[in-house]
Amino acid sequence: MLPLKAMGKQQYILVTGGAGYIGSHTVVELKAAGFIPVIADDFRNANRIVLNGLTELINEEPLLHEVDVCNSTDMRELFEKYPFVGVIHFAAYKAVGESVLDPLKYYHNNIQGLVNVLDLALEFSVLNVVFSSSCTVYGEPEGVKVVNEDSPKSKPNSPYGNTKAIGEQILADVFKSNPELKIMNLRYFNPVGAHPSALIGEFPIGKPNNLLPFVTQTGIGKQQELTVFGNDYPTIDGTCVRDYIHVVDLAKAHVKAINFLSSKEDGVIEAVNVGTGNGTSILEVINIFEEVAGKSLNWKFGPRRPGDVIEIYADASKANRLLEWQAEYTISDAVEHAWKWEQTIVDYE
Ligand code: WQD
């Protein structure tokens, strides 16, 4: 597979939401692979502190434009300024619980942002498009724990999940009318961890919704106690099971996706699961944390959380076959890096 950089031209890649958790780690991997990432982010869901760590990791100030992807005038200026060869679209709200409380915030931003980016990509013939999708498009898999890309999909459990399913449908429809497009829907499982350098990581805004940041914040004393939502599920130990994928492995999958699309002469549209292929329960995550941190965690059982899927993890064989990608870090590596990161940002606001 000929990597894009080997083609000689300056390979600018637009990374919307590139100052965010997954976006920032992807910027690092794009740079390491010889691309020129251009960040479009208005910091509504990102912390500017990330720029310090990014600068150190890529050995220069990142190309950054503080723009709202829903503002097509500002976004157009980017496409006029840079000869993008690809776009990776991360910019979207992503909190499942919040999306239930404020669905229009999610439909407006997540759908309008994608439509804007697609409009401009077509106008400027930026044909390589990677979309940040999610395993939530599978909804509650009927009786299966391991899902592949052709697994039956039930209605996603939240407006957030709906915006990802609708996003994939929009891309499929646009591909039908523009078959020259080359599209990759990356369906993330549960992104966790931080860069091993502890120079970049996740900055949850307010109380974390997700498990691992809540665990590490409880470990450091920012949160009093972790509540494990439900202990009577039909799983290995009664708690929910997820496929926790290290954010650096996830970032590398995006580089592989860009290279895959760019190596194609003709149009293509694919969906690919990005997960480890292993399931881990909440109690197992807690045990790993206590082992890594060398301290016990303050936690208790609580009631089930509405909308939770019982058990889901990836059949990641298509990513391996198509993208020559597989996860290299384990859940223990992710917990170790997340804990190191939590101790690093203990003094940040
Ligand atoms: C995991 C498990 C909780 C917090 C996430 C993202 C979503 C998507 C898929 C990318 C569940 C339990 C959590 C806590 C707990 N990713 N939990 N106590 O719900 O699988 O969804 O991955 O698109 O965007 O939100 O992840 O980390 O919220 O929950 O017991 O304080 O941990 O009930 O079983 P989830 P999560």
Side-chain angles (χ1 to χ4, degrees), residues 94 96 133-136 160 188-191 209-211 214 226-229 240 242 244 282 305 308:
K94 59 162 187 171
V96 172
S133 189
S134 163
C135 63
T136 47
Y160 160 77
Y188 310 159
F189 281 69
N190 288 54
N209 290 300
N210 297 131
L211 177 68
F214 205 108
L226 169 76
T227 301
V228 175
F229 298 137
C240 290
R242 292 288 184 277
Y244 295 101
I282 300 170
R305 182 173 72 173
D308 268 341

Side-chain angles (χ1 to χ4, degrees), residues 147-163:
V147 288
N148 64 45
E149 291 79 0
D150 302 319
S151 292
K153 299 186 196 62
S154 58
K155 186 176 176 315
N157 292 20
S158 68
Y160 160 77
N162 272 344
T163 66

Side-chain angles (χ1 to χ4, degrees), residues 184-245:
M184 176 69 66
N185 293 309
L186 292 183
R187 293 176 182 163
Y188 310 159
F189 281 69
N190 288 54
V192 287
H195 196 274
S197 66
L199 285 168
I200 57 174
E202 188 173 11
F203 283 102
I205 296 175
K207 201 169 184 179
N209 290 300
N210 297 131
L211 177 68
L212 191 52
F214 205 108
V215 166
T216 55
Q217 285 197 9
T218 304
I220 203 112
K222 270 188 185 167
Q223 304 297 333
Q224 286 309 308
E225 183 179 50
L226 169 76
T227 301
V228 175
F229 298 137
N231 68 341
D232 57 353
Y233 286 106
T235 63
I236 185 171
D237 56 20
T239 64
C240 290
V241 176
R242 292 288 184 277
D243 184 333
Y244 295 101
I245 170 90

Side-chain angles (χ1 to χ4, degrees), residues 71-333:
N71 183 321
S72 45
T73 307
D74 291 351
M75 287 300 292
R76 173 180 298 280
E77 283 177 20
L78 289 187
F79 281 83
E80 284 164 349
K81 181 178 173 68
Y82 296 98
F84 294 124
V85 294
V87 56
I88 303 178
H89 183 54
F90 289 108
Y93 290 122
K94 59 162 187 171
V96 172
E98 182 192 48
S99 76
V100 175
L101 301 175
D102 191 351
L104 285 178
K105 173 179 176 179
Y106 278 68
Y107 287 117
H108 174 72
N109 184 54
N110 294 11
I111 303 300
Q112 184 60 52
L114 173 62
V115 168
N116 267 5
V117 166
L118 282 178
D119 256 340
L120 290 163
L122 284 170
E123 182 182 337
F124 287 85
S125 302
V126 180
L127 301 181
N128 300 303
V129 176
V130 177
F131 176 58
S132 165
S133 189
S134 163
C135 63
T136 47
V137 303
Y138 295 108
E140 175 75 67
E142 279 303 313
V144 297
K145 301 172 188 174
V146 192
V147 288
N148 64 45
E149 291 79 0
D150 302 319
S151 292
K153 299 186 196 62
S154 58
K155 186 176 176 315
N157 292 20
S158 68
Y160 160 77
N162 272 344
T163 66
K164 294 301 181 183
I166 294 165
E168 289 197 13
Q169 191 51 62
I170 289 170
L171 284 157
D173 292 344
V174 172
F175 178 68
K176 282 197 188 95
S177 53
N178 303 273
E180 73 279 12
L181 275 171
K182 297 182 274 180
I183 298 168
M184 176 69 66
N185 293 309
L186 292 183
R187 293 176 182 163
Y188 310 159
F189 281 69
N190 288 54
V192 287
H195 196 274
S197 66
L199 285 168
I200 57 174
E202 188 173 11
F203 283 102
I205 296 175
K207 201 169 184 179
N209 290 300
N210 297 131
L211 177 68
L212 191 52
F214 205 108
V215 166
T216 55
Q217 285 197 9
T218 304
I220 203 112
K222 270 188 185 167
Q223 304 297 333
Q224 286 309 308
E225 183 179 50
L226 169 76
T227 301
V228 175
F229 298 137
N231 68 341
D232 57 353
Y233 286 106
T235 63
I236 185 171
D237 56 20
T239 64
C240 290
V241 176
R242 292 288 184 277
D243 184 333
Y244 295 101
I245 170 90
H246 195 294
V247 65
V248 171
D249 281 330
L250 182 54
K252 288 178 176 173
H254 289 77
V255 179
K256 291 282 191 177
I258 283 283
N259 277 331
F260 169 81
L261 295 176
S262 312
S263 70
K264 294 293 171 194
E265 289 298 315
D266 302 324
V268 63
I269 182 166
E270 293 284 359
V272 171
N273 285 345
V274 188
T276 65
N278 303 311
T280 307
S281 77
I282 300 170
L283 294 185
E284 287 168 330
V285 171
I286 292 172
N287 291 335
I288 292 167
F289 173 79
E290 293 186 332
E291 207 171 291
V292 160
K295 63 194 291 190
S296 64
L297 187 75
N298 192 20
W299 66 275
K300 67 179 180 183
F301 282 123
R304 293 182 172 191
R305 182 173 72 173
D308 268 341
V309 168
I310 299 171
E311 183 163 7
I312 184 169
Y313 45 99
D315 170 346
S317 53
K318 182 174 180 182
N320 188 253
R321 176 169 43 77
L322 207 64
L323 304 181
E324 297 172 9
W325 172 93
Q326 65 185 29
E328 291 164 16
Y329 286 116
T330 65
I331 177 69
S332 298
D333 298 322

Side-chain angles (χ1 to χ4, degrees), residues 43 46-54 199-200 203 341 345 348-349:
F43 290 92
N47 190 313
R48 291 174 197 284
I49 295 175
V50 74
L51 299 175
N52 305 335
L54 262 185
L199 285 168
I200 57 174
F203 283 102
W341 170 246
I345 61 171
Y348 292 171
E349 274 308 310

